[in-house]
Amino acid sequence: MTTGTATALACRDVSVNFGPVAALADVSVNFAEGMIHAVVGQNGAGKTTFARVAAGIVRPDKGGVEIAGREVPVGHVGQARAAGIEIVHQSFALPPSFTVAEAMEFGANGSGSLYTRRDLERRWTRHLESLGVRVKPRERIRDLPVETQQAVEIARALVTDARVLILDEPTAVLSPSGIDNLFERLKVMQANGVTVILILHKIREVLAIADTVTVLRGGKLVEGPTSTAEVDAARLAASIIGSTDDILSETDRDALVGAAEDEGKETEPAHHAGPAILDMRGVSTRPDPEGPALENVALTVGRGEIVGIAGVEGNGQRTLVRALSHLADLTGGTITLSGVEVTHHPLSARRANGLRVIPFERNSEGLSLSSALWENWSARALLRDGVLKLISPARLRRACTAALQVWDVRFNSPNQPAGSLSGGNAQKLILAREVDDEATLIIAAQPTRGLDVGATAFVWRSLREARDRGCGILLISSDLDELFDISDRIVVMLSGRINGEFSHPYHLGEIGAAMTGADR
Amino acid sequence: MIGYLTQVIRAIAFVFIALLLCGVIFEFAGFSAPLMFQSIADGAFLSVRAWENSLRWGLPLFLTALGVVISFRCGFFNIGAQGQFYMGAIAATFVADGLNGAPAVLVMPLTFAAGILGGAVWALWPGLLRVRSGTDEVITTLMGNFIAGLFLVYVTSGPLKDPSGTGQAASSRPIGEAYRIAATSSISPAIIVIAVLVGVGMWVLVNRTSFGVLSSLAGRNPIMVVWQGARLSRLGLAGFVIGGALAGLAGTIEVLGPIGRLSSGMLPTHGFTAILIALVANLSVLATAVVALFFGGLAAAGLYLPVLAGLPAAAIDIINAAIALFITARAWPKRLTGLFGSRQDAG
């Protein structure tokens, strides 16, 4: 399948080092013209670096890039674009305050020539319509739903006769139906002769859209491009993960690589939830700087139960966590923790009541990166015991060392700054602090984002163990596979409201519909 | 530990570079640099008398600098030590002067309490504005310095004016002999005892209490301690108030001790030198003690320079400024850059 056609993009012996870390090591790969290619791998496998080298954003330490058989100078975005390669980034790069027409003009030319607003709008309406993007050119980027933003970004990338379009994890921000729409759009582009390279990390999506698949692991090319007709999910999963069978059950592995079946299967008997640890009734908040207001949210988490919160990002998940942490202003409703009403209690009182929070932002909300490990680790206990208590730093350092060893954190000294830890180890440090014997409700917000397989499996195991000890766990994740794998119950949020509740067996279609409001 | 030592060595190195630079400047200006260094050494450290002088200037600076250390560690850039120092001195003088004649056992505790309270109150209002409404404490504390300085001019030429005063600078009546903690215009055992006690207390607060760890965490990343359930406003206010109280204490000691009265425009660079000391010491209590003595020595030597090297006493200000330049160029201590980063988030 890959023979006989011309090569759209070729990389030769590309190596990239970030400090002592090799992000890519001698990757050579040829992508044939007119196909949809998938590049897959775990977090940290080098997928994004690969895309950025191809697009001229990252200059490789070694190696070269050819587009349509012609050598392109590496590390030069302008040259790469001129040669016909465009990239759509994982986090969108359009200026939020621009109108759609302005963003298109800026993205297309980046020039400062004179124009009138009406001119711009007329020019770009046609282009957007021809690509089937339904959006008013006058709207501001920040007011658009995520899915439309992405469509505009793709339209922006296609302004200049692009031959090769790279999309970096385009599905991560989309609902299941949004993913379907994206794939339809990509197929139309393929029919028009554009070569598409998709950075993905779910096997299900790879098999649904791609003609070929290329696997990266630890910065090295494992295989590819292999025709997707020749691979199956199990082999691909093994190829992506490598030999880590010892730490992963089969369902966990399938969840990690997005290979689980579309239709849910009975994985394990649902846990029988005990009496409610968390009981939110009719909770509404003011609009929060970090997301929409909660509207009349009712939610319970029982003893020994993992409740997953599903939803497209930005639908009130952050507000929910902030409301539970007394950081968002409630306008109505009550919050009860272990039978005690805490609606008006500060976070310190709620923590005294057993609440623990693993916040969304590991590096700003979870840790003080320039402070020592032992200070970060002991913060919770120090606050619990009162500010004027005498402490022995030496004893705290010893306790911290012991605790971090139990939690399998790789570190040299309790005095090293938290910022020197890798993402997985930093998350384990937070777990070591937040998952203790007195915890009754653990809020885990995106606890595995950006972690590699080992660390992800570790986090899942820790949460399950905490549940088995009787903790209630509220797991917020934008990864449905993760939620399906470890939640006992899934609650879907949409625009700050609860839009459906599901129990085993989960069906992707139903939950996806609830995430986008298509069920109503 | 290695990292800490290199920081200390770097700070010392920068001080020496600054001294060298000043030597070059003075040499080119026609003065003798070796003689200047010789007289600084003589005036600051090479005799018992010189050590007394260094302590006399260094210990009040130490107290004020400790306050700056506490406040900066909490992540608040309280640069109002000068105003808090004045307000402490003014409040102390009001009490000591007003109760003149009453027994010392009554007056002295009240005077100290008033001085400490005066400094604390002058730090409290910028603190409240900061934690309640986010007003930038750099602006408020800096303005507070001017208000306090002008208030000092007013009280020394108004309510507390010494009617028999003939000097150029307006001043209060001398503090009653019974209330003085240093009989001469020099150091006394009482001042040393106070400085040591307060120094030990602050060392314990910073290094051996939860407050020390939590305020340091808050200073480096306030968002993180909020997610831990801390009330940032209380930690921050505590930092402001302790800082002000220590500056007020230093003011009280100057009034009851070496100076012996309140005078208009007294020690106009005290609070700013204290900030410099805190930064050179990299916000460590122990290092602050050493650095404060060094700067006290420079201040003491300032009196010798005109006599021995023919340099104006203001030469010491040039040296201080050069040190400040190098220390700030060394790059801000991390916690302060963190502070300014997080301020944008909060805004």
Side-chain angles (χ1 to χ4, degrees):
Chain A
M1 194 160 177
T2 53
T3 52
T5 43
T7 300
L9 170 72
C11 292
R12 238 182 324 95
D13 297 331
V14 169
S15 296
V16 178
N17 297 307
F18 294 128
V21 183
L24 285 178
D26 291 320
V27 172
S28 298
V29 58
N30 295 323
F31 293 110
E33 204 170 74
M35 291 190 178
I36 298 183
H37 304 276
V39 176
V40 295
Q42 315 162 18
N43 285 314
K47 302 179 302 246
T48 295
T49 310
F50 173 76
R52 291 184 175 174
V53 168
I57 298 168
V58 169
R59 179 193 294 274
D61 297 308
K62 184 161 86 64
V65 176
E66 279 174 23
I67 295 169
R70 248 174 1 96
E71 181 84 21
V72 179
V74 291
H76 197 296
V77 180
Q79 301 265 14
R81 288 185 73 183
I85 186 159
E86 290 281 349
I87 185 168
V88 173
H89 292 279
Q90 189 171 4
S91 48
F92 303 137
L94 295 179
S97 60
F98 279 30
T99 67
V100 171
E102 286 166 351
M104 295 291 291
E105 176 73 17
F106 176 72
N109 307 320
S111 67
S113 56
L114 289 174
Y115 59 80
T116 65
R117 179 167 284 187
R118 185 187 295 259
D119 246 10
L120 277 189
E121 284 166 8
R122 201 171 325 121
R123 191 176 328 157
W124 294 116
T125 307
R126 193 132 32 93
H127 178 72
L128 289 166
E129 271 172 6
S130 72
L131 289 168
V133 183
R134 275 188 296 274
V135 60
K136 291 197 191 75
R138 190 168 299 195
E139 281 189 271
R140 303 231 172 247
I141 297 292
R142 61 163 171 258
D143 298 331
L144 300 175
V146 170
E147 207 177 303
T148 316
Q149 274 188 42
Q150 189 180 54
V152 171
E153 184 121 337
I154 293 172
R156 194 274 308 154
L158 293 177
V159 167
T160 54
D161 250 356
R163 295 162 194 266
V164 180
L165 179 66
I166 304 177
L167 296 102
D168 189 4
E169 303 240 7
T171 57
V173 292
L174 299 179
S175 64
S177 65
I179 292 173
D180 292 342
N181 293 340
L182 171 71
F183 287 178
E184 285 308 314
R185 185 162 286 148
L186 294 180
K187 283 188 174 138
V188 171
M189 285 163 41
Q190 180 190 17
N192 292 338
V194 178
T195 307
V196 178
I197 298 175
L198 283 168
I199 311 292
L200 292 174
H201 78 256
K202 299 211 172 216
I203 291 173
R204 190 185 323 107
E205 292 165 4
V206 172
L207 297 179
I209 178 83
D211 298 316
T212 80
V213 58
T214 302
V215 180
L216 294 174
R217 191 169 69 222
K220 296 198 181 72
L221 181 71
V222 179
E223 64 167 313
T226 316
S227 166
T228 48
E230 296 165 15
V231 296
D232 61 48
R235 221 207 78 208
L236 208 45
S239 183
I240 292 172
I241 291 185
S243 52
T244 45
D245 295 359
D246 47 331
I247 58 167
L248 285 174
S249 71
E250 198 174 322
T251 52
D252 279 358
R253 193 201 61 191
D254 286 352
L256 262 169
V257 295
E261 298 294 320
D262 253 21
E263 292 299 300
K265 56 190 173 196
E266 195 68 53
T267 44
E268 50 188 305
H271 276 251
H272 292 286
I277 297 269
L278 171 69
D279 190 359
M280 297 176 79
R281 291 193 189 167
V283 170
S284 300
T285 67
R286 271 187 248 286
D288 195 76
E290 296 193 12
L294 298 186
E295 279 178 52
N296 203 16
V297 167
L299 181 67
T300 59
V301 178
R303 257 183 83 80
E305 185 186 32
I306 298 181
V307 175
I309 301 284
V312 177
E313 273 186 49
N315 274 284
Q317 297 96 322
R318 280 172 191 262
T319 320
L320 175 69
V321 173
R322 289 168 63 82
L324 287 171
S325 310
H326 196 248
L327 298 174
D329 292 334
L330 260 59
T331 52
T334 58
I335 301 174
T336 309
L337 263 181
S338 308
V340 182
E341 202 201 307
V342 297
T343 314
H344 301 291
H345 291 190
L347 179 53
S348 55
R350 296 184 190 189
R351 279 185 171 273
N353 214 328
L355 177 69
R356 299 290 182 269
V357 188
I358 299 166
F360 280 97
E361 302 298 333
R362 193 177 305 146
N363 295 339
S364 60
E365 297 166 351
L367 296 172
S368 168
L369 294 185
S370 59
S371 302
L373 296 185
W374 70 272
E375 293 181 306
N376 275 294
W377 175 79
S378 55
R380 186 181 62 77
L382 294 180
L383 273 163
R384 177 194 61 200
D385 296 343
V387 185
L388 285 179
K389 187 167 179 280
L390 287 178
I391 57 166
S392 156
R395 195 176 303 155
L396 282 175
R397 280 189 205 105
R398 278 197 301 275
C400 173
T401 304
L404 294 191
Q405 277 163 357
V406 169
W407 284 89
D408 195 30
V409 180
R410 305 289 152 82
F411 68 109
N412 299 320
S413 145
N415 294 322
Q416 78 188 76
S420 63
L421 296 181
S422 70
N425 281 317
Q427 191 67 293
K428 286 179 190 172
L429 168 59
I430 295 177
L431 285 168
R433 183 180 68 208
E434 303 292 335
V435 182
D436 63 319
D437 292 340
E438 290 155 28
T440 54
L441 177 72
I442 299 170
I443 301 173
Q446 297 279 22
T448 61
R449 174 149 62 190
L451 303 189
D452 63 19
V453 172
T456 300
F458 185 94
V459 171
W460 288 351
R461 195 173 71 226
S462 307
L463 292 179
R464 284 182 176 129
E465 282 169 7
R467 169 195 57 196
D468 294 341
R469 281 201 309 270
C471 273
I473 290 168
L474 192 63
L475 172 68
I476 296 100
S477 176
S478 53
D479 185 340
L480 284 178
D481 287 293
E482 173 175 46
L483 290 174
F484 284 13
D485 188 36
I486 78 170
S487 306
D488 300 311
R489 194 150 57 86
I490 290 182
V491 171
V492 175
M493 284 192 80
L494 177 66
S495 310
R497 287 186 303 271
I498 301 291
N499 192 36
E501 188 179 320
F502 302 86
S503 48
H504 279 288
Y506 305 124
H507 295 273
L508 189 59
E510 289 175 9
I511 292 182
M515 282 167 68
T516 50
D519 57 332
R520 277 174 299 172
Chain B
M1 197 62 208
I2 303 286
Y4 183 71
L5 270 181
T6 50
Q7 277 177 357
V8 171
I9 290 168
R10 266 207 341 215
I12 293 172
F14 277 113
V15 168
F16 273 97
I17 293 173
L19 286 174
L20 275 180
L21 176 74
C22 291
V24 171
I25 291 174
F26 291 134
E27 191 71 40
F28 272 104
F31 299 100
S32 160
L35 190 59
M36 177 188 86
F37 290 124
Q38 181 63 48
S39 41
I40 288 178
D42 282 343
F45 305 112
L46 291 184
S47 69
V48 174
R49 178 73 192 142
W51 270 102
E52 281 179 8
N53 278 334
S54 297
L55 284 170
R56 177 264 172 270
W57 297 106
L59 290 183
L61 279 173
F62 170 58
L63 294 174
T64 306
L66 274 183
V68 176
V69 166
I70 303 273
S71 183
F72 280 20
R73 284 183 77 97
C74 290
F76 292 103
F77 203 40
N78 169 11
I79 56 169
Q82 182 66 28
Q84 290 141 23
F85 169 78
Y86 278 163
M87 282 307 194
I90 293 168
T93 310
F94 262 111
V95 172
D97 194 62
L99 297 180
N100 200 3
V105 278
L106 181 71
V107 175
M108 292 193 61
L110 283 177
T111 308
F112 272 101
I116 290 168
L117 205 66
V121 167
W122 207 243
L124 181 65
W125 66 264
L128 280 173
L129 281 174
R130 175 74 173 107
V131 300
R132 290 257 183 273
S133 50
T135 315
D136 194 328
E137 76 277 7
V138 175
I139 307 292
T140 50
T141 52
L142 187 66
M143 295 301 138
N145 288 341
F146 291 105
I147 298 172
L150 293 171
F151 189 60
L152 176 66
V153 173
Y154 163 71
V155 294
T156 47
S157 50
L160 291 176
K161 186 172 163 52
D162 180 3
S164 67
T166 51
Q168 286 176 332
S171 67
S172 73
R173 281 180 290 272
I175 301 294
E177 283 298 325
Y179 312 138
R180 296 282 299 274
I181 52 174
T184 63
S185 67
S186 181
I187 198 67
S188 75
I191 296 176
I192 296 176
V193 167
I194 293 173
V196 168
L197 284 181
V198 172
V200 170
M202 289 302 128
W203 183 85
V204 170
L205 185 70
V206 167
N207 296 300
R208 289 288 181 273
T209 66
S210 298
F211 175 84
V213 177
L214 293 171
S215 62
S216 164
L217 281 169
R220 288 163 187 267
N221 183 356
I223 301 168
M224 178 255 176
V225 290
V226 166
W227 279 91
Q228 287 299 309
R231 297 199 187 174
L232 207 52
S233 54
R234 290 195 189 171
L235 276 178
L237 267 190
F240 273 103
V241 168
I242 292 172
L246 290 178
L249 175 63
T252 311
I253 286 176
E254 287 288 2
V255 167
L256 294 188
I259 296 182
R261 60 167 66 184
L262 190 67
S263 72
S264 178
M266 63 192 250
L267 305 182
T269 60
H270 177 92
F272 300 103
T273 309
I275 293 172
L276 190 53
I277 292 169
L279 289 177
V280 174
N282 207 24
L283 309 189
S284 141
V285 172
L286 222 58
T288 300
V290 177
V291 177
L293 276 186
F294 174 77
F295 276 86
L298 283 183
L303 305 175
Y304 282 71
L305 282 183
V307 185
L308 292 179
L311 279 166
I316 290 297
D317 291 339
I318 299 179
I319 293 174
N320 278 351
I323 295 174
L325 191 68
F326 276 94
I327 290 297
T328 31
R330 174 190 66 167
W332 251 185
K334 272 242 176 62
R335 66 186 82 220
L336 293 182
T337 50
L339 171 70
F340 287 118
S342 64
R343 179 171 291 154
Q344 286 168 352
D345 297 344

